[in-house]
Amino acid sequence: MELRQVRYFVAVAEELHFGRAAARMHIVQPTVSQQIRRLERELGLDLFDRTTRQVTLTAAGAAFLPHARTILASEQAALHALDGLRTMAATVLRVGTSVGLGARLEHVLTTLADRSPKLTVELVSAASTARLQAVRDGELDAAFVRGLTHSPGLDLIPVWQDPLVAALPAAHPLAARTTVPLADLARLPLRIVPRETNPQLVDLVIEACRNAGFEPVLGPAFTTDQDTLAAIATGKPSWTVFYAAQARFLQTGRAAFRPFAPPGLTAETFLAVHPATPARRLAPLLDACRAAGADGAGPEPRTPPDTQLANPWPPAPGPQDRPDVDLP
């Protein structure tokens, strides 16, 4: 039994005329007659008595009519429910986020609220591998990722570059400078996450150290923002890296964030999307991301892959910013 056959049956039952029923359905009469015949053969019963003068319902037709109407009402209810879901889906974007987006993410959300007030954004936090798989599976519309250049089955759209900053003890002579040359950190242990946790970030930092002429001495692993900053502030002098966009939101006491001296240390942020996602659906999000990148929601250098981030706003220059500070 097909829904169109049920619709044709109800139309003929209400009109008691095949021609008028066909006109009502905007189709030709032979199509209605053929489909009703097929329905009767499938049911094994005649639904109409037909004469040259009139069409009437048989007892089987009269019994079937209320059920046919229920079937069509259920169809309409289902379509209405799906229309509601389609409407909601069209106005809700599910976006995977990464650690350290900080002011950038705030900028994106503010821009979306201003430019697309009917669009709702649901943020989903997960590890980078899980975020990417969720985009492939259609569970997320897009996801922010760092440090990748390729991900099977997805398009990676560059949206901005984030700066990394150094976190070090506020009492250390290097913290008296407005920027920190990476090579000057060579004598301090580096606290960083295990490579298996965030290979992109670790590789970026280690390679930058090597390019600066030294192999970093690895100290205790980076754990949480709070614990690592506390250890840097109060323990044996050491350093780590944070994303600048996140750093501006972190509270510090005896730890300080300082930008790296030129050329700085940066990583590119991408928006991972499924190639089949309609461009118009993602257009508001991409426009907001590009606005955040162009306006620079933070200092303009770049940042590395997902995990730690930090706040690079040095104090206003003062007497302590003398270039002849004697560094250990």
Side-chain angles (χ1 to χ4, degrees):
M1 183 188 305
E2 299 178 11
L3 283 172
R4 64 172 177 164
Q5 293 170 338
V6 177
R7 283 194 287 271
Y8 296 166
F9 164 74
V10 171
V12 175
E14 292 176 350
E15 298 291 342
L16 293 178
H17 192 283
F18 279 82
R20 289 195 297 270
R24 172 173 149 182
M25 304 296 294
H26 304 290
I27 55 177
V28 296
Q29 179 176 331
T31 299
V32 175
S33 299
Q34 291 169 6
Q35 293 302 320
I36 294 296
R37 285 295 186 193
R38 289 180 182 175
L39 179 60
E40 289 175 324
R41 284 197 297 271
E42 182 177 343
L43 297 176
L45 293 166
D46 288 338
L47 300 174
F48 296 101
D49 283 328
R50 305 162 177 82
T51 69
T52 57
R53 296 188 173 213
Q54 64 180 1
V55 174
T56 59
L57 282 166
T58 63
F64 181 56
L65 181 57
H67 298 290
R69 286 174 171 153
T70 299
I71 291 171
L72 297 183
S74 296
E75 177 200 19
Q76 289 304 309
L79 292 175
H80 180 72
L82 292 176
D83 283 341
L85 290 173
R86 273 192 293 269
T87 299
M88 183 168 62
T91 58
V92 175
L93 276 179
R94 289 177 55 80
V95 180
T97 61
S98 67
V99 176
L101 293 176
R104 297 279 195 186
L105 181 59
E106 183 177 316
H107 193 303
V108 169
L109 297 178
T110 300
T111 302
L112 280 172
D114 291 342
R115 298 182 182 180
S116 305
K118 294 183 179 180
L119 187 65
T120 299
V121 180
E122 293 183 3
L123 301 179
V124 179
S125 179
S128 58
T129 302
R131 290 198 306 275
L132 293 169
Q133 190 58 48
V135 176
R136 291 188 192 95
D137 295 340
E139 297 171 4
L140 293 177
D141 296 292
F144 289 104
V145 292
R146 290 189 180 97
L148 300 177
T149 57
H150 174 71
S151 185
L154 298 177
D155 290 337
L156 298 182
I157 303 172
V159 288
W160 62 66
Q161 291 181 332
D162 287 319
L164 277 169
V165 295
L168 65 162
H172 195 280
L174 282 173
R177 295 186 172 185
T178 54
T179 62
V180 177
L182 186 57
D184 289 353
L185 294 167
R187 300 180 187 178
L188 298 181
L190 168 63
R191 294 176 178 264
I192 198 164
V193 295
R195 188 180 184 280
E196 59 269 20
T197 300
N198 194 338
Q200 293 88 8
L201 175 62
V202 173
D203 290 349
L204 178 71
V205 175
I206 298 299
E207 182 180 1
C209 292
R210 289 170 179 166
N211 289 339
F214 71 98
E215 189 73 26
V217 177
L218 298 182
F222 187 107
T223 52
T224 67
D225 292 349
Q226 178 179 329
D227 291 352
T228 301
L229 286 173
I232 288 174
T234 61
K236 181 180 177 181
S238 60
W239 67 287
T240 189
V241 293
F242 280 81
Y243 294 116
Q246 181 197 15
R248 69 191 323 171
F249 289 102
L250 293 175
Q251 297 296 322
T252 62
R254 288 184 285 173
F257 297 109
R258 293 293 179 266
F260 289 100
L265 188 57
T266 61
E268 191 151 34
T269 296
F270 297 86
L271 200 62
V273 302
H274 197 287
T277 303
R280 66 179 179 275
R281 176 164 174 74
L282 295 174
L285 177 60
L286 286 170
D287 288 345
C289 288
R290 286 165 182 150
D295 293 349
E300 233 350 271
R302 313 181 168 182
T303 113
D306 319 64
T307 290
Q308 343 169 159
L309 319 186
N311 196 341
W313 310 130
Q320 74 275 18
D321 295 311
R322 292 176 291 112
D324 58 343
V325 171
D326 185 21
L327 299 178

